[in-house]
Amino acid sequence: MDSTQQFLATLQTERGASLNTLSAYRRDLLRFQAFVAQQGWKLFRVKPEQLSRYLLHLRREGLGSRSVARHLSSLRGFYRFLVRDGLTQRDPTEHLESPRLERRLPRTLSVEEVGALLDCIPVDHPVGVRDRALLELLYATGMRATECLTLRLEDLNLTAGYVVCMGKGSRQRLVPVGSQAIQWVRQYLQSARPTSVRRTDSGYLFVNRRGRPLTRQALWVIIRRDAQRARIRA
C-alpha cells in the first residue's frame, strides 16, 4: 500500500470520512503527484516554493479560489500524515496559504472597478510605475496593507512566483503572486525603484522618492487619488 492509500485509509478509519470526501482527496492527490512527476520533484522532499508553484499552476488551469483552497487542504492533511508516520521530516504546507486572487481592494470595489483603477494609473514616470506595481501586488495576493508595505527585497522570489510576508502574530507565510503582478513588480524594480534609492536605500520593496519605505497613509493617498482618476468612490 503506497502513502496515498495509507493516508486515505487513515481518513476512513480514524475520521470516518465519507466516500465522496475520500474520492475528492484521491483526485487532488493524484493530480498533485502527476505534477510532481512532471516537474521531476521528489514527493517526500517537496519544498514550500514548489507547492506555491503548483497552486499558481492550478490558477492558470482555471480553478477558482475555493477549488485551490480545497487542493491545499488535501495536501495539508497528506503531509501532516507523512510527518506523523515518519515518512518525511518537514511539512511544506506549514506556512503556505492559498492564493486570494479574488479579494477586492478596496473591498467595496467590483472587479471591473479595480481594473479601471489600475488602468488609469499613469506609468510614464517612476512614481506611476511604483503605484501600479504596488496596487497590482495588493490585488493579486490579498495581502494586508502593512504586509505589503513591509516587504523587503529579499522577500521576493519572482522566478518561483511568490513573496514571503510577515502576518499577524509575527507569523511568516508564503503568498503566491500572479503573472501580471510579477510583470509590474519586475518593471518597477528595473526602471523605477533605482531612481529613488540613489542616495538612501532602506531595503524595502516599495519606497518613496527619498528611498524610505512607504507608509500606510501614503498608500491610502495613492488609492484615493487613482480612484478619483477612474471616477470611482473609494
Side-chain angles (χ1 to χ4, degrees):
M1 184 181 296
D2 63 21
S3 57
T4 300
Q5 291 175 321
Q6 292 175 17
F7 170 60
L8 295 174
T10 299
L11 286 180
Q12 187 174 27
T13 57
E14 294 184 4
R15 302 184 187 179
S18 68
L19 292 179
N20 287 338
T21 298
L22 293 173
S23 178
Y25 271 96
R26 182 181 292 107
R27 287 195 304 270
D28 293 346
L29 293 175
L30 289 178
R31 184 170 186 170
F32 174 65
Q33 289 172 4
F35 185 82
V36 167
Q38 181 182 16
Q39 299 297 315
W41 301 340
K42 301 295 184 182
L43 183 64
F44 292 172
R45 297 182 181 178
V46 168
K47 300 177 181 178
E49 55 267 29
Q50 292 173 327
L51 278 179
S52 176
R53 285 175 58 184
Y54 176 63
L55 297 181
L56 283 175
H57 166 74
L58 294 178
R59 291 294 309 200
R60 290 167 182 158
E61 289 289 305
L63 270 69
S65 296
R66 292 184 179 180
S67 295
V68 174
R70 192 201 71 223
H71 274 267
L72 181 54
S73 177
S74 298
L75 294 176
R76 283 192 200 282
F78 179 61
Y79 276 103
R80 286 173 182 171
F81 165 77
L82 294 181
V83 170
R84 191 192 73 176
D85 278 27
L87 298 176
T88 188
Q89 295 181 347
R90 182 183 179 186
D91 176 6
T93 71
E94 183 177 3
H95 300 299
L96 190 64
E97 294 193 1
S98 54
R100 295 175 288 176
L101 302 182
E102 294 172 359
R103 181 172 174 178
R104 297 168 180 174
L105 177 73
R107 294 182 181 179
T108 55
L109 296 187
S110 67
V111 173
E112 291 75 16
E113 287 173 326
V114 171
L117 184 148
L118 294 172
D119 290 339
C120 80
I121 300 174
V123 292
D124 55 349
H125 56 82
V127 171
V129 174
R130 180 203 64 192
D131 294 351
R132 180 69 185 260
L134 172 59
L135 296 188
E136 288 277 2
L137 188 59
L138 277 168
Y139 179 61
T141 62
M143 282 189 291
R144 301 176 183 87
T146 300
E147 291 175 337
C148 189
L149 294 176
T150 54
L151 286 175
R152 300 183 64 84
L153 295 177
E154 59 265 28
D155 297 328
L156 303 180
N157 192 327
L158 300 182
T159 301
Y162 71 89
V163 298
V164 180
C165 73
M166 192 67 69
K168 290 184 177 180
S170 298
R171 180 191 175 198
Q172 192 178 66
R173 61 192 181 97
L174 298 179
V175 183
V177 182
S179 58
Q180 182 164 320
I182 289 175
Q183 174 187 339
W184 280 104
V185 172
R186 285 190 190 278
Q187 184 173 338
Y188 164 65
L189 290 172
Q190 293 169 1
S191 65
R193 189 178 185 278
T195 66
S196 299
V197 296
R198 291 170 180 168
R199 294 184 179 180
T200 302
D201 191 341
S202 62
Y204 286 92
L205 173 58
F206 294 109
V207 296
N208 59 25
R209 295 179 180 179
R210 297 186 297 278
R212 300 190 179 280
L214 284 180
T215 63
R216 288 173 59 91
Q217 290 78 11
L219 172 60
W220 301 135
V221 169
I222 292 169
I223 293 175
R224 284 196 297 268
R225 182 188 62 213
D226 293 329
Q228 290 175 354
R229 286 195 182 108
R231 297 181 180 180
I232 296 170
R233 292 183 180 181

